[in-house]
Amino acid sequence: MNRLLLLATLLSVLVFSATAQDTLTRSFDSEQQRETYQQLIKELRCPKCQNQNIADSNAPLAEDMRDKSYEMLKAGKSKQEIINFMVERYGNFVHYEPPFTAATAVLWFGPLVIVIIGIGVAVVLTRQKKEQTALTPEERAQLDRLRNNDND
Amino acid sequence: MNKNLRWVVLFAPLILFIALAVFLLKGLGSDPTKLDSALINEPVPAFESVDLYDTRIAYDESVLKGKPVLLNVWATWCPTCRAEHEFLNQLAAQGVPIVGLNYKDDSREKAVNWLNTLGDPYTINLFDPEGNVAFEFGVYGAPETYFIDEEGVIRYRHVGDVNARNWQSTLKPIYEQLKREAQ
């Protein structure tokens, strides 16, 4: 019986994660607003805990950011306005969609550049092969002579 | 085909690979908790705060203007803050103006008690129980120390404790630079 109880407790802890509880305890003006809030806390990254969004993190700072997001939503701010507000204070790091900057250019274009170089190398190599198999004028003349001999 | 071009084509992937490896290795060695502040070279954000000792006294961002100053974020629940406190006392004794920002502390009494026992290195003590002021600065933990120039522009952020070692090697030159600019 005790074991069952323990299991039930563990399960409930898992089910009622920070996110679930957070959105349950808050009241929203509309379903739309609730949805925007949920998107926001999944898209905003916790600056303190690196690879966690603020929905999944229990860090005090993530909590503050959830509160702030909620407050701003309630005050009628749009999703983008809230994201901008966070980025202004915590930098681009705080948003999971990295903007295009000099520092992120490598990430955006790196794969494309590598593919283009790959294609370029392949093209050059096949051209080289063709050149090698092509006959010089002398060779062609010789080949023609041989063919003519066959015909005789 | 041109001989030189052939060499270039042959070695391009290798060079690219090395460049990428260097780039990624650099990332491997860097400390992921050290984020650049979004507010470097930005004026201090507007805020309102009260005095830690006397909550009837109100301050705003103008307390961080007029001369180069350090803004130190601290709390009694933060062990590293305790570790750096003695060094902050020494800096204050040398005449370095430090504004304290008491960040989300357990209670005001605890914070006041801490300063009464360990010494108060701060020229002004801002009280920020909700972390609102800290939020404006993009603080994500304590201790953090901001270097603010005469004009009230944030010039540097130091994450972690200030100690004799990093003061000598990194922080003092930054502070001296701000002081030179102010003259």
Side-chain angles (χ1 to χ4, degrees), chain A:
Chain A
M1 193 58 206
N2 261 341
R3 257 188 219 170
L4 252 171
L5 203 68
L6 188 72
L7 193 70
T9 324
L10 278 175
L11 273 176
S12 65
V13 165
L14 282 176
V15 172
F16 287 97
S17 63
T19 336
Q21 231 163 24
D22 190 79
T23 23
L24 280 179
T25 50
R26 292 185 199 274
S27 68
F28 293 91
D29 299 339
S30 66
E31 208 36 52
Q32 167 84 35
Q33 198 180 48
R34 177 189 299 272
E35 197 139 297
T36 313
Y37 177 73
Q38 272 166 342
Q39 284 170 5
L40 262 174
I41 62 173
K42 282 192 182 123
E43 247 177 68
L44 288 171
R45 183 180 185 180
C46 170
K48 184 75 184 167
C49 24
Q50 305 294 322
N51 278 322
Q52 258 186 328
N53 56 25
I54 62 169
D56 289 341
S57 172
N58 285 320
L61 183 60
E63 225 166 89
D64 285 356
M65 286 172 72
R66 286 197 299 264
D67 287 344
K68 201 86 191 171
S69 305
Y70 176 73
E71 230 172 77
M72 288 178 79
L73 261 184
K74 281 289 227 180
K77 295 268 191 282
S78 74
K79 185 178 163 196
Q80 194 54 47
E81 277 175 316
I82 298 171
I83 289 172
N84 291 347
F85 176 87
M86 298 292 178
V87 168
E88 263 168 41
R89 282 155 186 80
Y90 287 96
N92 288 323
F93 178 87
V94 85
H95 193 210
Y96 264 118
E97 248 165 62
F100 184 76
T101 65
T104 57
V106 170
L107 303 176
W108 285 100
F109 285 131
L112 191 70
V113 168
I114 286 173
V115 166
I116 288 172
I117 288 176
I119 292 171
V121 168
V123 165
V124 166
L125 286 180
T126 45
R127 270 220 195 125
Q128 258 177 357
K129 267 229 174 95
K130 252 192 206 151
E131 268 170 36
Q132 279 166 3
T133 49
L135 297 176
T136 59
E138 293 90 58
E139 283 170 337
R140 183 154 298 282
Q142 201 177 3
L143 183 68
D144 284 342
R145 267 203 308 280
L146 286 169
R147 277 201 184 131
N148 288 336
N149 283 346
D150 271 356
N151 287 344
D152 287 343

Side-chain angles (χ1 to χ4, degrees), chain B residues 100-165:
Chain B
L101 178 70
N102 181 252
Y103 172 55
K104 293 178 80 170
D105 220 319
D106 305 332
S107 75
R108 198 173 68 85
E109 289 68 32
K110 248 184 164 174
V112 170
N113 196 23
W114 158 298
L115 293 179
N116 286 338
T117 356
L118 298 175
D120 180 355
Y122 305 114
T123 53
I124 292 172
N125 276 284
L126 306 175
F127 181 45
D128 188 20
E130 309 289 331
N132 289 327
V133 178
F135 205 99
E136 292 297 328
F137 276 85
V139 168
Y140 61 90
E144 273 181 34
T145 306
Y146 290 78
F147 286 65
I148 298 160
D149 72 12
E150 184 194 23
E151 309 285 328
V153 172
I154 299 170
R155 298 288 291 274
Y156 188 77
R157 176 174 74 161
H158 175 73
V159 175
D161 67 323
V162 175
N163 54 47
R165 202 159 21 86

